[in-house]
């Protein structure tokens, strides 16, 4: 289970880095900046929740 959660953190981190890059560069893929920002916040919350699960699992 821990391996799966670490894998999810890696995927979400990669996805969020891409969104941060889009917001910083100003090039948006067929979406509005607000939508990307909401997705970014949601992804960061997921990373935090998974991190909490990993921290309290032991």
């Amino acid at each position: 289970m821990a391996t799966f959660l670490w894998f999810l953190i890696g995927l979400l981190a990669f996805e969020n880095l891409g969104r941060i890059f889009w917001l910083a560069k100003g090039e948006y893929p067929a979406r509005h900046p607000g939508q990307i920002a909401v997705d970014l916040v949601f992804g960061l919350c997921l990373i935090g929740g998974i991190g909490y699960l990993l921290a309290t699992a032991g």
Side-chain angles (χ1 to χ4, degrees):
M1 182 67 165
T3 303
F4 174 71
L5 292 175
W6 280 112
F7 178 72
L8 279 179
I9 284 181
L11 285 177
L12 288 167
F14 184 72
E15 177 185 26
N16 287 328
L17 287 174
R19 289 194 174 126
I20 290 169
F21 177 75
W22 288 338
L23 288 171
K25 195 169 181 183
E27 295 179 7
Y28 310 108
R31 300 186 79 195
H32 297 288
Q35 291 172 318
I36 294 172
V38 167
D39 288 343
L40 177 63
V41 169
F42 182 71
L44 292 173
C45 288
L46 282 174
I47 288 175
I50 293 169
Y52 173 78
L53 286 175
L54 286 169
T56 58

